[in-house]
Amino acid sequence: MRPRLSLLAALGILAIGAGCTTDGSRQNSQLRVRTDFPGGSAQVEQLSEESKTIQLTPTLHPGRGWDAWWYFKLEGVKPGETITLDVGKGIWATPDQAMFSYDNVTWQHTSPGKRQKDRIVYQHTVEKTPVWFAWGPPFVLSDAERLIDNICARSPYATRFVLAKSKDGHTIPALKLYDPSVPASEKLGIWVEARQHAWESGSSWVGKGFIEWVISDDPQAKALRQMADIYFVPIMDVDNVQRGAGGKNATPHDQNRDWSDSPHYPEVAAAQEHIRELNRIGRFDLFVDLHNPAPNDKRPFYFVTVAEYLSAQGAKNLKDFFLCSKEAINGPLPLLDKARESGPEYDKAWDKISKNWVTKHTAGHVVAITLETSWNTPQSTQEGYQTVGRQLGEAIAKYFTEPRR
Ligand SMILES: [Zn+2]
C-alpha cells in the first residue's frame, strides 16, 4: 500500500478509510483531503473516519518559505457531520479561527479553536457540501486575473499589463489606471502592490478593496484618479501562491529582502524598473507594499523607513500621510497610533526591503510605506480586509487632495 499512498499524496489527494480501494461505490463516503488545485496545501498526518478528525499541517515545501499556509477541499463529508481539524506547525499556521467555504468563493470564520501547545483544534459542523477549509481567505492567480478583468470592464481608464514572467513561468498580471483627460505632465504616480509573502493572502484582499474603491463613484476616488496614474499588482510572489507555499524567508532569500541592484525575483526587478522610470520622469510620489503581520498584531500598522533615509520634505510628507491614514483607517480594524521602523535593528537585510529601497532610489518627497493588516482577529475576513483597502484609498486621496496641515 505504501507506494499507492505516496502516489496519492504526491497528487495532492489523501484518503484513509474503509473505501481506500478502487471500489467506486464507497468513494463518496470516505473522507478525502484534496489539495490538487492552485494554492492547495495540507499534509495529512492522521485521519479518522469514525471521529471525522483530520490532523494536518501545511504541506512542506523546503526552501519555499515558512510552513504557514494551508487550504484544502474536504470530500466524503455529509451535511450535519461535525469535522474536527487538528492543525500543527505553530502560531503562524494556526489562526484563532480557521475559514471555511461552501463555494470556494465566499469564506467565513469557524468558531475559535482550542490551542494545545503548538497546535490548534477547530470544530465545524458542515451545513452543505462541497466544503473547503483554509488558514485565511485564499486569493490565487485566477482571482488576480478575474479582479483585473473586472476592473478593466468597469473602468475606461484601466489597462492590464504584464509585470513580469516569474521564475516558474507564470505571467504576473498588473493594472494601470490612467485618465487621459489630464495632461501627463501634471500627473502624480502611485504604486500599490500586495503579496510579496505568499501566505499573507489577506494583503491581496486589502489590495482588492483599494482598487475597487479607486474606480468607484466616490468623489474622492474620482479626484484621485484625475490627479494620479495608479499602478496595482495584486500578487507579487505568484509562484509560491500557486504552489501553496508560505514564501516568507524562502531561499535564496525572502522576496521582501530582494530589493537590491541585482534582484533574484523577476517581479521585483520589473517593479524596480517601473518605479525608477516613473521617478526619472518626475512622476512618482507614493509606494505602498501590502502585508499581513505577526499573529499577535491585532491592529493594522505601518512599517516606515529609517529617519536617516528621509529628506526634510520626505519626513513631513510621511507624517502627513500617517495623519491622513489615522483618520481614514478607523475601524473595524483601526490603524495603530504609532508606526514601526524597519531599520538595522529589525532585520540585517533591512536595506533590501521594498520601501527602504524605494525611499533611497526616488525623489526626496516620495512616501514609501508598508501596510501590515492584522490577520488573526474576527474582523480579518474578506469584508474586513477590503474595508481596510477602501480606507487606504481614502487616506491616499486625503493626502493628495486636501490642504496640507
Ligand atoms: Zn509580509
Side-chain angles (χ1 to χ4, degrees), residues 389-402:
R390 169 174 59 75
Q391 294 168 335
L392 170 68
E394 290 167 356
I396 293 172
K398 265 181 201 290
Y399 170 69
F400 284 120
T401 61
E402 289 181 4

Side-chain angles (χ1 to χ4, degrees), residues 346-367:
Y346 171 68
D347 193 299
K348 64 179 178 358
W350 68 280
D351 58 338
K352 298 181 184 64
I353 291 175
S354 60
K355 70 177 165 307
N356 293 333
W357 182 92
V358 171
T359 306
K360 196 170 179 189
H361 290 80
T362 57
H365 72 278
V366 169
V367 170

Side-chain angles (χ1 to χ4, degrees), residues 197 200 248 291-292 372:
H197 295 142
E200 297 166 12
K248 175 80 181 171
H291 287 256
N292 292 134
E372 300 274 0

Side-chain angles (χ1 to χ4, degrees), residues 195-200 203 248 254 256-257 289-293 346 370-372:
R195 217 69 180 281
Q196 287 207 78
H197 295 142
W199 67 282
E200 297 166 12
S203 66
K248 175 80 181 171
D254 189 301
N256 201 22
R257 306 293 182 272
D289 198 5
L290 300 173
H291 287 256
N292 292 134
Y346 171 68
T370 305
L371 175 59
E372 300 274 0

